[in-house]
């Protein structure tokens, strides 16, 4: 509900009235909003990376063939920003040339899994990647479909500061775009 009110207000250039916060609470809220904004930027970067991999990775032919067999045209793949996560344990880290800050953000948004000892690895490997967007079109999570016989067949992002499964419906943003 809050997201719907905020979306309508943004559409008409209005500001949603908020409860009065103390100066300390205002600063805390601004920090939280800045951090969330940064995480949305990270997810946008990840979506671009996966999209680029589908287009240009040397092993993306299998992914393209899978999409074609399932009846997904290149136009649909572009509309839904469908991508490809290559096989390998650190394709995302290497592809984004992640520094320590970005690495921590990737862990926070569920794109990397942190093992004991501080080692990280890509959560999604050898999969077709489906970005999940919020009502504003921001990428908040991913769903991935494996290309081989590995398990699990489908893998979704975990709950994060910007993604709550009960608040997301895949394809809603794209559907709204076709009505405008």
């Amino acid at each position: 509900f809050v997201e719907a009110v905020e979306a309508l207000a943004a559409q008409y250039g209005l500001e949603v009235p908020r409860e009065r916060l103390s100066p300390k609470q205002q600063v805390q809220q601004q920090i939280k909003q800045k951090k969330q904004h940064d995480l949305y930027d990270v997810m946008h970067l990840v979506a671009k990376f996966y999209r680029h991999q589908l287009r240009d990775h040397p092993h993306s032919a299998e992914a393209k063939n899978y999409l074609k067999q399932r009846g997904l045209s290149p136009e649909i793949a572009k509309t839904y920003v469908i991508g490809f996560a290559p096989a390998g344990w650190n394709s995302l880290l290497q592809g984004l040339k992640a520094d320590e800050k970005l690495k921590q953000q990737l862990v926070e948004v569920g794109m990397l899994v942190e093992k004991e000892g501080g080692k990280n690895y890509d959560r999604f490997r050898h999969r077709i990647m489906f970005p999940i967007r919020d009502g504003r079109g921001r990428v908040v999570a991913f769903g991935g479909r494996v290309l081989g016989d590995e398990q699990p067949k489908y893998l979704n992002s975990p709950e994060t500061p910007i993604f709550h499964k009960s608040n997301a419906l895949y394809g809603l943003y794209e559907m709204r775009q076709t009505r405008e």
Side-chain angles (χ1 to χ4, degrees), residues 1-177:
F1 176 76
V2 172
E3 187 175 282
V5 170
E6 288 174 341
L8 284 171
Q11 186 176 1
Y12 292 101
L14 302 172
E15 190 172 319
V16 178
R18 306 277 183 200
E19 63 183 79
R20 301 260 182 224
L21 300 175
S22 71
K24 182 179 178 181
Q25 290 172 319
Q26 288 176 358
V27 169
Q28 289 171 337
Q29 186 175 28
Q30 288 171 344
I31 291 169
K32 181 181 176 185
Q33 289 172 343
K34 169 75 170 113
K35 184 177 180 182
Q36 285 181 335
H37 181 72
D38 289 346
L39 296 179
Y40 291 121
D41 290 343
V42 168
M43 292 302 275
H44 177 75
L45 187 64
V46 171
K48 282 177 58 175
F49 171 77
Y50 287 143
R51 182 76 184 131
H52 177 75
Q53 297 309 299
L54 181 62
R55 246 189 359 255
D56 301 329
H57 192 276
H59 298 111
S60 66
E62 181 184 12
K64 291 174 188 173
N65 288 335
Y66 175 83
L67 292 171
K68 189 175 183 179
Q69 289 171 352
R70 300 300 295 239
L72 292 170
S73 68
E75 294 78 25
I76 291 172
K78 184 178 180 183
T79 298
Y80 285 83
V81 196
I82 295 171
F84 169 61
W89 294 92
N90 62 354
S91 299
L92 186 60
L93 272 176
Q94 287 181 342
L96 296 179
K97 297 175 178 52
D99 61 12
E100 282 304 313
K101 179 181 179 186
L102 180 55
K103 209 182 285 189
Q104 274 312 115
Q105 290 171 317
L106 289 167
V107 169
E108 193 169 358
V109 293
M111 300 311 297
L112 295 181
V113 176
E114 193 168 40
K115 298 190 305 186
E116 286 184 32
K119 300 273 185 187
N120 299 306
Y121 63 89
D122 294 358
R123 178 177 304 276
F124 298 99
R125 300 174 303 282
H126 196 228
R127 293 177 183 273
I128 301 288
M129 298 301 294
F130 299 90
I132 299 168
R133 300 190 208 192
D134 66 8
R136 296 180 184 176
R138 300 174 298 190
V139 176
V140 294
F142 286 88
R145 203 287 187 191
V146 75
L147 287 168
D149 294 329
E150 298 91 25
Q151 292 294 324
K153 188 175 188 177
Y154 297 97
L155 183 63
N156 294 313
S157 292
E159 297 260 332
T160 70
I162 61 171
F163 175 59
H164 307 285
K165 293 177 185 179
S166 61
N167 296 344
L169 180 60
Y170 180 77
L172 181 62
Y173 173 78
E174 291 81 4
M175 190 250 343
R176 286 180 178 163
Q177 299 308 299

